Structure formats: structure tokens, C-alpha cells
Amino acid sequence: MGWAIETFNLTKLFMPSEGLYLRPFCKRDAVLAINNINLSIKKGELFCLIGPNGSGKTTLIKILCSLILPTKGTAFINGVDILGNNEKLKSSIGLMTSDDRSFYWRLTGRQNLTFFAFLYNLNPQQATKKIKEIMELLEIEAPDKRFQEYSTGMKQRLGIARSLLNDPQVLFMDEPTKSLDPKASYNLKVFIKERLVREQGKTVLFTTHHLDETEEFADRLAIIDRGRLVACGNLGELQHLIGEPAANLEKIFVQLTKTQ
């Protein structure tokens, strides 16, 4: 099957900014966001990252998408070094975030997707065809409505649509079900798991704070706490790790993060 994502001693240290009025006695410490992360994710796998706020999940995703550089270590996405061929890397990945501020609110859903399609170097004919396919796949209603008029669930669908414009092999989703009602959240999870992963064979790495959805949704998961990889595996392997075969993910999470 092979690996879609591999990380090797991935580390990110954020240095404090020195403002114009920062005095010597106000010296701030550097922040170690992620620390020697070694992770391997299979092709066609639905993989989840969980951890407390500030544990390093979003930083890890940003590095894997080459939005920020690591301080140390490297990673490979489908065999491409994130520190090497940037264009080849970006053509094979998609990023979906729960931040809808990156869309143009006065433009329609279709106009937004057309703009982003041009950024992927799709010509007008390719863009029109691809956007039509994705909108049908995601069942996006009223594509010519202004973005600001969409429901939260539909905005999330448009976020996924944008991440699929270049037909990526690997998808990164940072809290895709954030702010969704239970029905919209369930429908989105079914779409990701059944359509994107099972039918199309894409690899999906997502983050969430909802442990129950991780337990029923992900093939495998990793727990990150204070920048370190605490544990990785499926539910059975994590239960074995703490020596409790009947433990749910919440109990596993609390026990492993408490002891670090």
C-alpha cells in the first residue's frame, strides 16, 4: 500500500518577535510547537490528530502543507520532500480549514471556486468542468448565491470543494466539523469517509476535538500533547497500550495526556 505521509524528527520552534518597545527585562522564551514528530500514514487512510488546544496539531498540518518551514527534520508527501519540489508537492495536496474568512464574502460560491481554480492554473474550460463536477459531488445548493448568505454547513462544503479543485491525493482537514449541527456534521463525515476515502482512495488527515467522532470515524489516530507524539494506532492498540481492553477514547486520551 505504501505511505502517503511520513515525518522524520519534525520540529518547529517559534522565536518570539522583538517589538520596537520590547525591553531587555521583558525577554520572552521561544515556543516549541512540535518536537521530534515521527509519523507514518498509509495511502487511502482516514487518519485523525487529537490533542489539547495548543498541542501542535495545526502547526504540524501547516508544515506538511509547506505553509511554514520546520526548524528541524523533514517530511514526505507521496514520496515528495516538503523541503524540495514545492510545486510538485502542492499539486498533490489539498487543505481545508474551518476558517471561512479566506473566501470572498461578496462573491458567489461559483465565483469563489472559479477564482481559486485559476490559482491552480486551470484554464476557463477546465475550471468550469471541474467546478461543476465538485458541486454535484458535494451537492452544493444555489451555487450562485453570495458566500455570506450560505449556512455554516454549506460554507464547510465550499471549503472542501476548494480543496478538491486540483484533485489532490492527500487532503488535510483542520477541524472540518467545527460549528456544524449534528446532522450536518454526520453528513460531512459520511461524505469524507465513503466518497473521498473509500471510493476515490484519497488519504485524509484531519484534526478534531470531538473524541466520539474520532472513535467511530478514523481508521487510526495519533495523540499529540505539548508538541510531542504521545501515542499512535487504532482504538484496540491504544487500549492495549494502557492495559484496559474496554476503555473508550476519552479515557485513553485523559490517561495518556495526564501522564506526560
Side-chain angles (χ1 to χ4, degrees):
M1 180 178 288
W3 302 112
I5 301 171
E6 294 178 278
T7 73
F8 299 92
N9 299 318
L10 213 53
T11 301
K12 181 61 179 180
L13 184 69
F14 286 107
M15 302 303 296
S17 59
E18 296 185 5
L20 293 176
Y21 304 103
L22 188 65
R23 298 172 182 171
F25 56 83
C26 295
K27 185 177 180 181
R28 297 162 59 191
D29 294 329
V31 176
L32 188 59
I34 58 172
N35 188 7
N36 286 310
I37 297 290
N38 291 286
L39 192 63
S40 297
I41 299 173
K42 301 172 186 175
K43 291 182 178 180
E45 188 169 32
L46 183 54
F47 194 95
C48 181
L49 288 178
I50 60 174
N53 287 329
S55 61
K57 304 184 299 297
T58 299
T59 298
L60 177 58
I61 284 182
K62 286 182 177 180
I63 291 175
L64 293 176
C65 292
S66 73
L67 296 176
I68 57 177
L69 292 173
T71 304
K72 186 183 76 172
T74 191
F76 291 83
I77 311 295
N78 283 327
V80 179
D81 192 335
I82 62 169
L83 301 179
N85 192 329
N86 195 261
E87 290 304 315
K88 187 175 181 181
L89 172 68
K90 288 188 175 181
S91 68
S92 68
I93 65 174
L95 171 63
M96 181 261 177
T97 71
S98 58
D99 183 6
D100 53 25
R101 291 174 296 179
S102 57
F103 280 89
Y104 294 93
W105 282 49
R106 292 182 180 274
L107 297 182
T108 67
R110 193 191 306 275
Q111 289 170 335
N112 267 286
L113 293 181
T114 300
F115 170 77
F116 291 116
F118 290 161
L119 295 183
Y120 281 118
N121 295 319
L122 299 180
N123 63 43
Q125 292 76 24
Q126 291 173 324
T128 300
K129 181 181 178 182
K130 191 65 179 177
I131 290 169
K132 183 176 183 294
E133 291 176 355
I134 294 174
M135 283 185 164
E136 290 176 352
L137 180 67
L138 286 166
E139 299 178 350
I140 293 176
E141 302 169 355
D144 296 308
K145 182 190 295 186
R146 283 188 179 185
F147 184 81
Q148 63 188 10
E149 299 172 354
Y150 286 113
S151 67
T152 302
M154 197 55 62
K155 288 175 182 176
Q156 293 287 69
R157 285 176 181 262
L158 282 165
I160 296 177
R162 181 178 60 183
S163 71
L164 293 174
L165 286 169
N166 61 330
D167 194 23
Q169 297 168 297
V170 179
L171 271 170
F172 298 94
M173 295 183 166
D174 195 6
E175 297 190 62
T177 60
K178 182 180 179 181
S179 301
L180 294 185
D181 62 61
K183 182 179 180 181
S185 176
Y186 174 79
N187 290 338
L188 182 56
K189 288 183 290 185
V190 169
F191 172 80
I192 293 170
K193 188 166 189 173
E194 299 303 327
R195 300 296 295 275
L196 298 183
V197 177
R198 301 294 180 253
E199 292 183 17
Q200 298 186 14
K202 297 184 185 299
T203 304
V204 174
L205 171 61
F206 74 100
T207 70
T208 184
H209 287 294
H210 301 295
L211 300 184
D212 54 341
E213 84 175 14
T214 303
E215 193 168 344
E216 66 185 27
F217 185 47
D219 296 322
R220 286 194 307 144
L221 63 105
I223 300 175
I224 297 180
D225 187 25
R226 283 165 279 187
R228 291 184 177 274
L229 183 64
V230 176
C232 179
N234 58 37
L235 182 61
E237 290 168 335
L238 297 184
Q239 289 169 334
H240 178 74
L241 180 63
I242 68 169
E244 296 190 33
N248 61 18
L249 186 54
E250 181 178 7
K251 186 171 185 179
I252 294 170
F253 178 81
V254 170
Q255 184 164 329
L256 289 177
T257 55
K258 180 177 63 176
T259 57
Q260 297 304 307

